[in-house]
Structures are given as structure tokens and as C-alpha cells.
Amino acid sequence: MSERVEVAKTYKLFIGGAFPRSESGRTHPVRDRRDRLVAHVAWASRKDLRDAVRAARAAQAAWAGRTAYNRAQIVYRIAEVLEGRRDQFEAELRVGGMTSRAARANLDAAIDGSVYWAGFADKLEQLAGGVNPVAGPFLNVSQTIPLGVCGLACPDDGGVSGMLGLVCPALAAGNAVVAVAGGRSALVSSTLGEVLATSDVPAGVANVLTGDHAALLGWLVDHADVDMVDLTGAPADSRADLEARTAENLTRWAATGGAEHLGTIMEFRDVRTVWHPARIL
Amino acid sequence: MGTLTRSGDELAGGALAGTLRVGGVDAVALEARAARLAGRSIKRESKDAGLELAVRCIDLTTLEGADTPGKVRAMCMRALRPDPEDASVPPVAAVCVYPSMVTHAAAHLDGTGVRVASVAGAFPSGQADLDQRLEEIRGAVADGADEIDIVINRGALLSGRLDIVHDEVAAAKRACGDAHLKTILETGELGSYDAIRLASMVAMAAGSDVIKTSTGKLPVAATPPTALCMAEAIRDYHRHTGRVVGLKLAGGIRTSKQALGYLAIVAETLGVHWLHPERLRFGASTLLNDVVLQMRFRRTGRYPRPGDLPVD
């Protein structure tokens, strides 16, 4: 019998619950530390970005309409699925240039972070909303609501935790996301789509594009149907320009870095306040 | 005027001077050609012209049980000014409504150049007495409809009674008076391209001003091969009789990309003279917003927000 030929994976995008190749047909070669070719990763075009935003918009309302408890379960499930695929991710992170120790630390942070953000989903209201003291005969209530579609510029050297550190809080907050990552994170980002697809995240709620920040982020911040962008992973030389362009269509921007505190997830949430006459009874 | 008869491949009688060869359709070649034409890449300037033309060819349609005069009024406003932010986007060709809404639409569109189209004749099934159907047509015309969309008798066509199909369409044409008659073949129910071509020929021979793919009430509606099949029938009929018949594509056309594909099919099959609202229409409701969004993108270079446009 002839020797078995290994079946290599095609690293594709994750849009609307499916794994398409880039519409442009472009791929990007990923090489390991010894400069050996490891894989070709699909390289997203602006058309892919537009498709992803459309998928996210279509899915967002139903996702926000789920109970916070259910969203927490699903974000927690991301951690569970990730835990089961540690070896694969560790290998891919090492291809991206990380040492074994750094790769394991990155995965620990990603998995523990997912659990951390899952816990926030049903606690935002208590932490950031509530009844406000006002000087008048009014009941003044603040409620937090999701922003809608969030575009996430994930750091190219952030590995798994770099992407999930932005995706998980945005999802827990009830948004649909379009996450962009490239560079050394391209391999794991592409594989993360498979994790999201098998974690009960509804189709379209999380979309992952592997590609070049410089080519994609301009289209992302200019897109009028994107409600917020997290520019954590934006290239330093284009950051000021991107920030300025968000003003054109009143898109919010932040650069949370995925830091684990209430402030991060509140960047993905809006606060609405209503005044109500106090004596209605 | 006698009725239409068929012997073998040839139709005779009715308004036909001689005989009209119908012929069969090569389904595989038709689908391949339609796919090639609809998938062709279009240069930027042509795309701009195509989007503008698509708007001018739209029959903005609402055919819902829940239609109200208010909704028709809102739609008429959209028809006249598709993009609230940009007056250079032209008005659509017509507004298409149920007969009960014709007076409301006419009140808003009178003198604007945008026509009032009405479905009639027991739309969408066509299952009513001929007298009743003709009465509905006369009523809609009297209310101010400039164009009437009727369905053919599919049952009669599929059981080979071309004479019935022909006579009913011819009677509808007479009932229309000066109004244009658009005859819906409901291609999704005809089963084969041969039947679509035959139905096209019968509808044209009976005096239809426009032949139309579908009611939009079936899951299978306009498709590129159907459009190509009907366009070829129109071309052959024009060569044979010299009479110009229009084409209306309706049902399932939601995106600019689809519309541009259909424009390519029509241009390649019937020539540029058919790229005009007098001869080509898109029956649609969601298509208009998508085209407007594409035009906004071409103007601003930014992807627009669909939620910014009014929905019907």
C-alpha cells in the first residue's frame, strides 16, 4: 500500500456561519520560524468585509434578543470548546513564532478570559444601570443596551487571547462582531472561526476575517452600518487617521485591548436613560 | 379576429399574419448562456449607467393583503424621490398596486410621469370567471391605471388549450383600452422552457404590450435563464411580425448585482433599444433600496447603512 498523504486544512474566512474562501481569491502564505511554508490563509477583501457586516447586521437583533443568561452560556461554551482544542492551537501559535510556554500562557488567558466575560453577560444591568438620584419628582432610570455591529481590529501578535479578548466582551454585551486579524495571528484566527461555529454562537453573530489591517480597517471605519470599532490592533501609523474617520459617520471607537474590567465591556454597550413622572400611581 | 391554433411547431390565427414557428428550447445551452451573461463583469462607468437605468425601469410594487392608502402614499413618495439625500436619482417607472389602491396611487402620481400600474384579473391565481376578470380590468383602468398586469390561464396552457389562453389575453387587451397590458406567464408553474417560450408566443400573439415572468407570489420567480428564454421569444417574435413587445422581470430580484445581470441578458439578446423603461421593467420592492445604496456607495466611497432608507 502506498504511503498515506496528509490532508492539509484550507484556512478560510468565517462569515455568516459559513467558511468561504476570500471573494477575491487571494491567500497569504504563512511561514514558520525556519521560513518553511505552513499554509495559505484566505486573505479577506473589502467585499468579504461588506458581506461580514451584512451577516452581522442580520444576526444582531436576534442575538441581543436572547436572554443575558443564554448569551453567558454560549460565551462560556467558547471556553469549553477552546479547552478541548488546546493542542491544535498551541501548535498553530508556535508556528506563529511563540514559544511553547508563551503559547500555553496565551491559551490560558484566552480560555479564562472567555469565562470571565461570560460572567458579565447577565450582570451588566446591575453594575452599569439602575435608578439615578435626581432633584425632581421623577423616576430616572438608566439601562444599558447593545450597540449593534462592532468591528474589531484584533492585534496581529495577540494570538488567541488577542482576538477573544475583544470578541468575547462584545458578544457578551449583545453585539454582533466582525473581527479582523492577520500577521502572525492569521492561522489561529482562522481556526478560531471553527471554535465559534461549534460553540452555539448563532450564524452571523461572530465573523472572522483574516487579512491585512491596512487594507481593511479603512473600509471598516467608513462603513455606515458599523456602530463601533475597537482599534486595539490597528497599525500605529494609521491609528489617528482611522480615529478621525469614525467621526464622519458618528461611529464610536475604542481601543480596549481586551483588559478585564467593567470599562471594557461598557465600551460595547450604550446607556439609555429615561425620565418618568414619579407619581403615576 | 379568430382564435389561435397550433399545428406541430407552428402557431396560426389570431392577430398573426402568417404562421409563427415556436420551436423548442435547448435548456442546457440556455442556462449556460444565461449564467455567462448574468455573471459577466461590468466596468465601473457602465455599472453607474446600469444602476441609474435600473431605477428608471423599476415598477415599485406592493401587493400585500395589509396594504393601506397610507402605505401606498409612502411608496409613491419613494417612487418619485428614491433617495431622499440625492435628487439626481431619477424616479422609477411605475407604482404597481392592487386595483383597490389605484385611486390612491393615481392621486399622488398624476402629472409626475410615474405611471400607475395595477394587477387585475383575479391576481395572482387568475381563477375567476372571465367576465369578472375583465370587469376588474375595466374598473382599474377607470380608476386611473395606466398599465394592467394580468396572469395567463396556466391550467389551460398546460392542458394544451392555447385558444383559451389566447382568447382570454386578447379579451383583456380589449378591456384595457388605452392602458398597456402586461401579461404574466407565472413561469414557476409552467414546468419547462419549452412551455415558457410557447406561453410567451401566445401572449404576444394575443396583443400583450409586455410579457412578464412572475407574480412574485411563488417561491420560483424570475431567473436568468427564464429571462433569457423570454427575451429570445420577444426577439424572434419581433423579427417575425415587426411588433415590439416589452419584458418585465418580477419576483426575487433584490440586489443591484442581479439587476445588472438581467440588463446584460436583455442588452445582449434584444439590443440596446430594449434598455428603456418603455420596453423593460423590473417588478420589485426591495431592489430599489439596494440600488440606491449602491449609488450612494459610488458617490461617497463609503459603504452605506441599509437602515438609513425607508422600508415599505
Side-chain angles (χ1 to χ4, degrees):
Chain A
M1 213 174 104
S2 60
E3 206 173 312
R4 188 175 172 281
V5 178
E6 193 192 357
V7 179
K9 186 170 90 173
T10 310
Y11 287 85
K12 299 199 274 189
L13 311 175
F14 182 52
I15 299 173
F19 294 92
R21 291 178 172 80
S22 170
E23 166 273 341
S24 64
R26 277 195 301 169
T27 59
H28 185 73
V30 175
R31 295 177 188 282
D32 67 9
R33 272 173 295 177
R34 296 202 188 87
D35 207 35
R36 288 175 307 201
L37 181 70
V38 178
H40 288 277
V41 179
W43 220 231
S45 67
R46 64 182 167 99
K47 176 69 163 44
D48 298 313
L49 181 100
R50 190 173 63 150
D51 290 345
V53 172
R54 185 175 292 172
R57 174 58 65 195
Q60 194 267 331
W63 176 243
R66 294 199 180 207
T67 61
Y69 178 65
N70 186 228
R71 286 203 303 271
Q73 284 179 311
I74 290 173
V75 175
Y76 186 89
R77 174 100 180 136
I78 295 173
E80 291 179 354
V81 175
L82 205 53
E83 187 80 59
R85 296 177 67 156
R86 284 188 74 110
D87 292 348
Q88 181 189 5
F89 276 103
E90 189 183 325
E92 287 179 352
L93 285 170
R94 290 181 60 191
V95 167
M98 281 192 193
T99 62
S100 289
R101 180 196 287 258
R104 282 197 295 274
N106 187 280
L107 283 164
D108 288 345
I111 295 167
D112 296 351
S114 302
V115 173
Y116 176 86
W117 293 120
F120 256 115
D122 59 356
K123 296 168 190 71
L124 283 170
E125 237 20 75
Q126 303 90 309
L127 292 169
V131 181
N132 308 313
V134 286
F138 295 99
L139 177 65
N140 186 275
V141 183
S142 288
Q143 187 197 16
T144 72
I145 57 167
L147 291 173
V149 174
C150 298
L152 311 174
C154 304
D156 281 349
D157 54 1
V160 181
S161 69
M163 175 167 277
L164 284 186
L166 304 187
V167 169
C168 288
L171 290 186
N175 303 287
V177 304
V178 176
V180 180
R184 292 189 290 161
S185 290
L187 272 193
V188 285
S189 299
S190 184
T191 304
L192 262 178
E194 297 163 20
V195 169
L196 295 166
T198 49
S199 304
D200 285 339
V201 179
V205 169
N207 304 276
V208 179
L209 303 177
T210 43
D212 185 9
H213 279 129
L216 293 173
L217 293 187
W219 293 100
L220 186 67
V221 298
D222 281 350
H223 199 311
D225 212 18
V226 173
D227 299 291
M228 180 266 187
V229 287
D230 188 322
L231 297 174
T232 298
D237 56 351
S238 64
R239 178 77 166 268
D241 174 54
L242 293 171
E243 287 172 13
R245 280 158 77 172
T246 59
E248 288 284 328
N249 42 17
L250 303 180
T251 304
R252 290 171 185 233
W253 74 269
T256 63
E260 291 184 0
H261 54 76
L262 177 65
T264 295
I265 197 165
M266 282 310 294
E267 293 288 357
F268 299 105
R269 225 40 206 184
D270 199 2
V271 178
R272 292 281 159 87
T273 299
V274 290
W275 294 72
H276 208 298
R279 293 192 196 87
I280 54 170
L281 294 178
Chain B
M1 187 169 82
T3 189
L4 195 74
T5 56
R6 176 190 193 183
S7 83
D9 246 5
E10 296 192 328
L11 298 177
L16 292 173
T19 57
L20 177 64
R21 215 180 107 76
V22 177
V25 179
D26 178 346
V28 174
L30 181 82
E31 286 177 359
R33 181 167 166 75
R36 205 165 55 242
L37 290 176
R40 174 185 290 184
S41 84
I42 296 174
K43 294 279 177 252
R44 201 170 271 192
E45 294 75 20
S46 308
K47 199 177 268 180
D48 287 344
L51 291 174
E52 199 255 358
L53 174 66
V55 171
R56 286 192 289 120
C57 289
I58 285 177
D59 280 5
L60 196 59
T61 303
T62 181
L63 297 170
E64 303 292 337
D67 286 348
T68 59
K71 182 180 173 187
V72 169
R73 178 181 177 277
M75 212 179 64
C76 290
M77 297 304 120
R78 279 179 62 207
L80 293 168
R81 176 87 183 243
D83 187 347
E85 287 180 9
D86 184 4
S88 72
V89 178
V92 303
V95 165
C96 184
V97 293
Y98 271 122
S100 60
M101 293 293 149
V102 167
T103 46
H104 303 292
H108 299 296
L109 298 178
D110 196 28
T112 62
V114 175
R115 310 253 184 92
V116 180
S118 171
V119 296
F123 179 93
S125 68
Q127 299 286 15
D129 286 341
L130 182 60
D131 289 344
Q132 258 176 295
R133 283 185 268 156
L134 296 178
E135 198 47 49
E136 198 182 10
I137 293 171
R138 282 189 279 267
V141 174
D143 282 348
D146 306 301
E147 302 172 354
I148 298 291
D149 292 31
I150 61 153
V151 289
I152 60 163
N153 190 332
R154 280 91 73 200
L157 185 93
L158 292 172
S159 36
R161 293 297 305 274
L162 302 186
D163 54 328
I164 295 181
V165 180
H166 172 272
D167 293 353
E168 288 183 356
V169 174
K173 173 65 184 163
R174 285 193 294 278
C176 280
D178 291 336
H180 269 228
L181 177 68
K182 296 187 227 140
T183 306
I184 303 169
L185 309 182
E186 194 63 306
T187 52
E189 287 184 342
L190 297 185
S192 71
Y193 296 120
D194 286 347
I196 293 171
R197 183 173 169 86
L198 178 64
S200 304
M201 291 298 187
V202 173
M204 288 187 285
S208 308
D209 299 297
V210 172
I211 55 174
K212 172 174 167 185
T213 55
S214 330
T215 57
K217 297 291 181 195
L218 283 190
V220 182
T223 62
T226 317
L228 179 59
C229 179
M230 289 171 64
E232 287 178 347
I234 291 172
R235 179 192 63 197
D236 297 346
Y237 185 79
H238 178 248
R239 276 185 194 157
H240 185 82
T241 65
R243 200 164 81 81
V244 168
V245 178
L247 177 64
K248 177 168 170 182
L249 306 164
I253 306 173
R254 295 194 181 84
T255 65
S256 307
K257 197 171 185 175
Q258 286 173 296
L260 291 171
Y262 285 116
L263 289 179
I265 288 175
V266 170
E268 290 295 333
T269 312
L270 291 165
V272 291
H273 294 301
W274 256 264
L275 295 181
H276 189 276
E278 288 297 320
R279 297 190 188 180
L280 175 68
R281 294 287 176 84
F282 293 108
S285 46
T286 42
L287 172 65
L288 179 62
N289 273 2
D290 193 69
V291 177
V292 167
L293 289 173
Q294 286 300 315
M295 292 171 99
R296 278 192 182 179
F297 170 65
R298 299 283 297 118
R299 200 172 65 237
T300 62
R302 293 160 171 265
Y303 289 129
R305 179 190 284 262
D308 285 349
L309 286 176
V311 289
D312 46 40

